[in-house]
Amino acid sequence: MQVLLNPHQIRMGILRIVEKIMLRHNIDEPVVMIGIMRGGFMFYTELVSELQNMNIICDFVSCKSYEGTENTGFKMLLDSKVDVEGKHVYLIDDILDTGLTYEFLKVHYEYKGAKSVEGIFALKKYDEKYKEEMCIMSIPKENNDFWYLGYGMDDENGGSRHLKSIYY
């Protein structure tokens, strides 16, 4: 197991993302931050806690697309409760892997009338289609097959989510 990002690097990445979000929105404008459970919980918490001067509405959604290390297809287990109509929505998750969860949720919240829907990820596997989505680190093509863990991402047994660094 090797460290990909340590806590300091993660924090610096979060602050870069926070700056972008704060420059985009008026402080009175309601912005919905939806954490994608379970993997996104650590990233979500740290990101949202840095947006103290903004009008943030927090909610969560629970989705599943993996059993261990096997992609089993998308399932929505719990939808968010907040009214997103006319609001900017950010979907916060641990990793943009295949894009299946992100694509489903993006369409889902657009259908619910969100003004805009964007993803923010701790890690983003390289895909030209998702080059505009914000992330702490974009993974080069040659590393797309690695399994990442820590900082919300689990190992094949569901452990390691609590680790403060991201490993591969």
Side-chain angles (χ1 to χ4, degrees):
M1 194 162 73
Q2 294 185 18
V3 175
L4 178 68
L5 293 171
N6 65 41
H8 176 74
Q9 292 167 312
I10 291 170
R11 176 141 174 76
M12 292 300 101
I14 287 171
L15 293 177
R16 282 191 306 272
I17 292 169
V18 164
E19 182 178 17
K20 288 179 186 178
I21 294 169
M22 292 178 79
L23 289 172
R24 288 183 181 181
H25 303 285
N26 179 307
I27 60 170
D28 298 323
E29 178 182 22
V31 176
V32 179
M33 305 295 269
I34 298 177
I36 301 173
M37 301 303 283
R38 291 178 298 201
F41 80 97
M42 287 180 78
F43 181 44
Y44 178 87
T45 301
E46 290 190 29
L47 179 68
V48 171
S49 70
E50 293 294 337
L51 296 168
Q52 292 295 307
N53 297 327
M54 295 187 66
N55 183 2
I56 300 297
I57 301 167
C58 296
D59 208 348
F60 297 90
V61 63
S62 181
C63 304
K64 186 174 186 170
S65 57
Y66 279 89
E67 284 290 333
T69 59
E70 182 181 337
N71 189 325
T72 56
F74 178 82
K75 282 185 199 168
M76 181 180 257
L77 305 173
L78 177 69
D79 197 358
S80 62
K81 305 288 185 222
V82 70
D83 178 13
V84 299
E85 190 168 350
K87 297 178 182 84
H88 295 283
V89 173
Y90 288 97
L91 303 171
I92 294 93
D93 204 358
D94 56 353
I95 187 167
L96 178 60
D97 188 356
T98 64
L100 185 63
T101 299
Y102 176 57
E103 289 292 332
F104 178 88
L105 292 174
K106 185 172 171 57
V107 170
H108 178 70
Y109 289 109
E110 286 170 345
Y111 179 76
K112 286 185 162 194
K115 190 174 196 176
S116 67
V117 181
E118 292 184 61
I120 306 174
F121 308 93
L123 296 180
K124 179 174 66 172
K125 289 190 175 181
Y126 178 83
D127 186 328
E128 190 66 27
K129 181 177 181 180
Y130 302 115
K131 65 182 177 186
E132 299 301 319
E133 279 68 23
M134 289 184 271
C135 66
I136 294 174
M137 181 179 194
S138 186
I139 304 299
K141 272 186 195 180
E142 57 272 9
N143 295 349
N144 271 0
D145 292 333
F146 290 164
W147 187 262
Y148 300 93
L149 57 98
Y151 199 65
M153 293 171 264
D154 63 340
D155 60 26
E156 63 275 1
N157 299 313
S160 301
R161 289 186 191 275
H162 67 290
L163 300 174
K164 292 182 179 183
S165 293
I166 298 175
Y167 301 88
Y168 65 98

